[in-house]
Amino acid sequence: MLVLGIETSCDETAAAVVGDTPPYIRSNIVFSQLAEHRPYGGVVPEVAARAHLAHLDPVIERALAAAGIGFGEVGAIAATGGPGLIGGVIVGVTEAKAIAFARGVPFVAVNHLEGHALSARLAAPVEFPYLLLLVSGGHCQLQIVEGVGRYRRLGTTIDDAAGEAFDKGAKLLGLGYPGGPAIERAAQSGDARRAPLPRPMLGREDCNFSFSGLKTALRLAVEKRGGRLSQADRADLAASLQESIVASLADRTAQAIAQFLDRYPEGKTLVVAGGVAANNALRSRLEQLAAKSGLGFVAPPVALCTDNGAMIAWAGIERLKAGLVDGLDFAPRPRWPLDPAAVPVRGAGVKA
Ligand code: KG4
Ligand code: ZN
């Protein structure tokens, strides 16, 4: 069976065709709205919604053409149903429902976070349960993935997400948007020891994250240099910011590994997913950590880490296999926690 996946929850308009047998990914088209948002230094929801509307039809056409199929060969439509910028989610869900209705095929509303969570199983044969570090521009969570639609949250951020920390840091350093890749590039020629920054939450017993203090520390470090940064300053601060974020993520993940193995001694795998999982310093730190804990480590290829339609189509396939289909009355959700039973955390900017 071939599933068309549609992703419109942030600033990528994406569509993909994925099958339930190898080679799973038949096409994976991502139109990045970067150019439209860059003048504002971040994603503008209204601009994103309009851009999705303008680009979604051609992106779907390209995905079908690249897979060498027409609508007649699509067995089901999966679309991100939330969480995300609601204008964009509405565009994707409405389009998906219309196609599903016109073609008489099932419609699956996919939680964007579940798309990231299950992307590991599209990349490699990962068995449930596994421990997931989900790090993106909007989310920063540690979840035990017990099965399709079954999650246990171990930790979340009490303010910013890891990707936000990269993005806001890059803005402070004048490195442009999006920040993650820019920081990673600048960090290559920098020395973190020349510009030490705090490492948030280290050693705490819970598995939560916090990055707003780090952002303030970076701002103060920039101000201390009179606001004028040399190339070398920029590189050192970028290296230090990356080191602090990676150290904090690794420390929180180590804490979560202990809790995961406590609950599931047979657990075998640590998975990282989401846009920040593209970061090489983070990947190698987590790989070491997993090895030390006797766990395997899976990080999907970069194209499956940042937002894409293939992970949504794949999550759709996993849900269909589990007998989960949605009605055309599904209402797009701006918020949609993976583990609704998780105890809310307290913090200045708690999201979900
Ligand atoms: O998953 P994603 O594409 O969109 C969301 O669902 O948020 O993640 C985007 C985030 C951005 O904050 C971006 O700066 C970050 O992922 N990112 C990176 C890297 N590539 C993308 N962060 C660190 N290092 C990278 N190489
Ligand atoms: Zn995402």
Side-chain angles (χ1 to χ4, degrees), residues 317-340:
I317 289 175
E318 295 247 39
R319 293 187 74 79
L320 285 164
K321 279 188 189 164
L324 302 166
V325 182
D326 293 274
L328 295 184
D329 58 349
F330 172 86
R333 302 176 183 175
R335 279 162 199 271
W336 188 355
L338 278 178
D339 175 8

Side-chain angles (χ1 to χ4, degrees), residues 174-199:
L175 287 172
Y177 169 83
I183 295 275
E184 183 165 18
R185 222 173 302 120
Q188 275 165 7
S189 55
D191 182 348
R193 286 166 305 183
R194 282 202 294 257
L197 291 170
R199 294 166 180 203

Side-chain angles (χ1 to χ4, degrees), residues 53-71:
L53 205 52
H55 298 298
L56 186 53
D57 276 342
V59 164
I60 290 174
E61 272 167 33
R62 281 172 58 202
L64 294 176
I69 62 165
F71 277 118

Side-chain angles (χ1 to χ4, degrees), residues 242-308:
Q242 176 172 274
E243 173 55 31
S244 285
I245 295 171
V246 168
S248 183
L249 291 172
D251 177 80
R252 313 289 63 222
T253 305
Q255 205 60 251
I257 288 175
Q259 293 187 15
F260 170 56
L261 290 176
D262 226 27
R263 186 175 282 272
Y264 292 106
E266 76 282 14
K268 285 195 199 63
T269 317
L270 170 66
V271 165
V272 65
V276 181
N279 186 280
N280 288 300
L282 178 62
R283 283 178 178 241
S284 54
R285 191 77 54 95
L286 293 174
E287 191 164 16
Q288 288 165 18
L289 177 62
K292 210 175 78 186
S293 317
L295 293 177
F297 175 64
V298 173
V302 170
L304 292 182
C305 284
T306 48
D307 288 349
N308 65 88

Side-chain angles (χ1 to χ4, degrees), residues 195-221:
L197 291 170
R199 294 166 180 203
M201 311 292 267
L202 247 55
R204 281 180 47 142
E205 263 180 31
D206 61 43
C207 304
N208 291 330
F209 304 88
S210 167
F211 295 104
S212 70
L214 179 58
K215 182 181 60 191
T216 306
L218 179 67
R219 185 171 50 74
L220 293 175

Side-chain angles (χ1 to χ4, degrees), residues 80-308:
T80 295
L85 302 175
I86 196 63
V89 178
I90 290 172
V91 171
V93 165
T94 308
E95 175 103 7
K97 285 179 182 174
I99 300 170
F101 180 68
R103 292 279 158 187
V105 297
F107 161 71
V108 186
V110 171
N111 182 320
H112 179 81
L113 305 177
E114 178 154 64
H116 280 301
L118 299 179
S119 65
R121 284 163 55 85
L122 174 55
V126 182
E127 282 168 33
F128 300 122
Y130 54 89
L131 179 64
L132 167 73
L133 171 65
L134 173 50
V135 272
S136 70
H139 300 273
C140 191
Q141 305 184 353
L142 280 155
Q143 299 266 359
I144 299 178
V145 185
E146 297 179 329
V148 175
R150 286 173 40 221
Y151 297 85
R152 187 177 297 271
R153 197 188 74 197
L154 299 182
T156 187
T157 182
I158 59 170
D159 41 58
D160 291 347
E164 252 176 309
F166 275 106
D167 292 336
K168 290 178 178 172
K171 205 167 183 176
L172 279 167
L173 296 178
L175 287 172
Y177 169 83
I183 295 275
E184 183 165 18
R185 222 173 302 120
Q188 275 165 7
S189 55
D191 182 348
R193 286 166 305 183
R194 282 202 294 257
L197 291 170
R199 294 166 180 203
M201 311 292 267
L202 247 55
R204 281 180 47 142
E205 263 180 31
D206 61 43
C207 304
N208 291 330
F209 304 88
S210 167
F211 295 104
S212 70
L214 179 58
K215 182 181 60 191
T216 306
L218 179 67
R219 185 171 50 74
L220 293 175
V222 171
E223 284 169 8
K224 207 177 85 187
R225 288 162 176 79
R228 283 182 304 276
L229 299 178
S230 67
Q231 199 72 353
D233 283 338
R234 259 194 202 101
D236 291 344
L237 285 165
S240 186
L241 179 71
Q242 176 172 274
E243 173 55 31
S244 285
I245 295 171
V246 168
S248 183
L249 291 172
D251 177 80
R252 313 289 63 222
T253 305
Q255 205 60 251
I257 288 175
Q259 293 187 15
F260 170 56
L261 290 176
D262 226 27
R263 186 175 282 272
Y264 292 106
E266 76 282 14
K268 285 195 199 63
T269 317
L270 170 66
V271 165
V272 65
V276 181
N279 186 280
N280 288 300
L282 178 62
R283 283 178 178 241
S284 54
R285 191 77 54 95
L286 293 174
E287 191 164 16
Q288 288 165 18
L289 177 62
K292 210 175 78 186
S293 317
L295 293 177
F297 175 64
V298 173
V302 170
L304 292 182
C305 284
T306 48
D307 288 349
N308 65 88

